[in-house]
Amino acid sequence: MTACVNSLWAQGRMVAFDTETTGVDAEKDRVVTAAVVAVGGGQASDSRTWMADPGVEIPEQATAIHGVTTDQARAEGSDAAEVVEDITAALAEQLGAGVPVVVFNARYDLTLLDREARRHGVLPLVERLAGLDVAPVIDPLVLDRQIDRYRRGSRKLPALAAHYRVRHESAHTAEADALAAARIAWRIGTDHARIGGADLLKLHDAQVSWAAQQAAGLEEYLRRTDPEAYVEPAWPFLPHSLVGASREG
């Protein structure tokens, strides 16, 4: 790859967001830990991290990934509503200022945050932005699938960190995963001129289209063995209005 010296947003400030949760269902599962990490732009990094008491048991499978037990979350975690409020307010402030928010597999984390807000009576992110879209979001997973469609192998965060030659310490902690996502976004923006030099809002809109195309491709593949397979095309999150309207995958 050839570095692009004219990349703009990759040289500026960006904020990365990640969660560790009770499971993999964005509609039902809960935030356990989260991080919002501001990096780049010639400024010092600034990290905010949270541990929440999710109010439900944390399954052993989830604890095996992120290391937080139910007892630990109950003893050390903050009230879930307060955590969700803090996260949502932090992201709204950055997006409102035009700072790109980097979220690896944004469709999961931003949908889960939206549902957590509604669950706890917190004003959701989409409703804090005065009618504006939840944008600009940069999703390294969507970008990677677009620029290197036919590469074989895992597209999980550790694999992408290795592929793009960026550090990823302490995998499956929210802060480390957020930082790795930001580093991958920086690498893609630096190495790929058409992405790194794109207007952020136009890049956001392009990712909406790319994510839908990628979902359609995966759905077509899955239907080879399951005629009823469905992959949600919405990005960067599933609007609450679509809950119940989509077929289950």
Side-chain angles (χ1 to χ4, degrees), residues 18 30 49 52 86 92 97 120 122 130 167 180 193:
D18 187 73
R30 313 292 180 91
T49 61
D86 284 350
H120 294 291
V122 170
R167 298 193 312 278

Side-chain angles (χ1 to χ4, degrees), residues 119-205:
R119 182 176 295 119
H120 294 291
V122 170
L123 189 66
L125 183 59
V126 67
E127 296 179 21
R128 294 180 187 236
L129 296 173
L132 300 176
D133 291 336
V134 176
V137 172
I138 296 173
D139 188 336
L141 180 59
V142 172
L143 295 181
D144 176 68
R145 284 173 170 166
Q146 180 64 23
I147 63 179
D148 204 352
R149 300 181 189 183
Y150 304 111
R151 188 181 76 250
R152 296 187 176 185
S154 174
R155 304 267 181 164
K156 292 182 179 180
L157 183 60
L160 261 60
H163 176 74
Y164 287 102
R165 309 180 312 280
V166 302
R167 298 193 312 278
H168 185 202
E169 305 94 346
S170 303
H172 297 304
T173 66
E175 184 175 20
D177 287 358
L179 277 168
R183 290 166 180 155
I184 295 167
W186 170 83
R187 180 74 75 186
I188 292 173
T190 299
D191 287 353
H192 294 271
R194 71 185 183 95
I195 291 176
D199 173 84
L200 276 168
L201 291 178
K202 290 181 179 179
L203 179 61
H204 178 96
D205 290 343

Side-chain angles (χ1 to χ4, degrees), residues 2-17:
T2 301
C4 171
V5 297
N6 294 319
S7 61
L8 299 176
W9 60 260
Q11 297 175 356
R13 197 70 163 167
M14 62 182 82
V15 171
F17 168 57

Side-chain angles (χ1 to χ4, degrees), residues 228-246:
E228 300 300 317
Y230 175 74
V231 180
E232 174 56 54
W235 181 94
F237 72 104
L238 175 61
H240 189 254
S241 61
L242 295 183
V243 176
S246 299

Side-chain angles (χ1 to χ4, degrees), residues 19-193:
T19 62
E20 297 295 332
T21 65
T22 58
V24 297
D25 187 337
E27 296 292 344
K28 298 178 180 179
D29 284 307
R30 313 292 180 91
V31 172
V32 177
T33 62
V36 173
V37 184
V39 296
Q43 305 175 49
S45 298
D46 181 24
S47 298
R48 294 186 65 187
T49 61
W50 296 265
M51 179 184 291
D53 175 0
V56 298
E57 294 284 329
I58 300 174
E60 291 183 2
Q61 301 95 315
T63 296
I65 293 172
H66 53 62
V68 181
T69 65
T70 300
D71 288 344
Q72 182 182 3
R74 287 173 177 169
E76 303 175 20
S78 299
D79 177 77
E82 294 178 2
V83 170
V84 172
E85 168 63 32
D86 284 350
I87 296 168
T88 306
L91 295 180
E93 179 181 7
Q94 298 299 325
L95 290 171
V99 177
V101 171
V102 178
V103 193
F104 183 85
N105 192 16
R107 182 183 283 131
Y108 174 78
D109 289 86
L110 292 181
T111 298
L112 182 135
L113 182 65
D114 179 87
R115 303 309 188 261
E116 279 279 67
R118 297 173 192 279
R119 182 176 295 119
H120 294 291
V122 170
L123 189 66
L125 183 59
V126 67
E127 296 179 21
R128 294 180 187 236
L129 296 173
L132 300 176
D133 291 336
V134 176
V137 172
I138 296 173
D139 188 336
L141 180 59
V142 172
L143 295 181
D144 176 68
R145 284 173 170 166
Q146 180 64 23
I147 63 179
D148 204 352
R149 300 181 189 183
Y150 304 111
R151 188 181 76 250
R152 296 187 176 185
S154 174
R155 304 267 181 164
K156 292 182 179 180
L157 183 60
L160 261 60
H163 176 74
Y164 287 102
R165 309 180 312 280
V166 302
R167 298 193 312 278
H168 185 202
E169 305 94 346
S170 303
H172 297 304
T173 66
E175 184 175 20
D177 287 358
L179 277 168
R183 290 166 180 155
I184 295 167
W186 170 83
R187 180 74 75 186
I188 292 173
T190 299
D191 287 353
H192 294 271

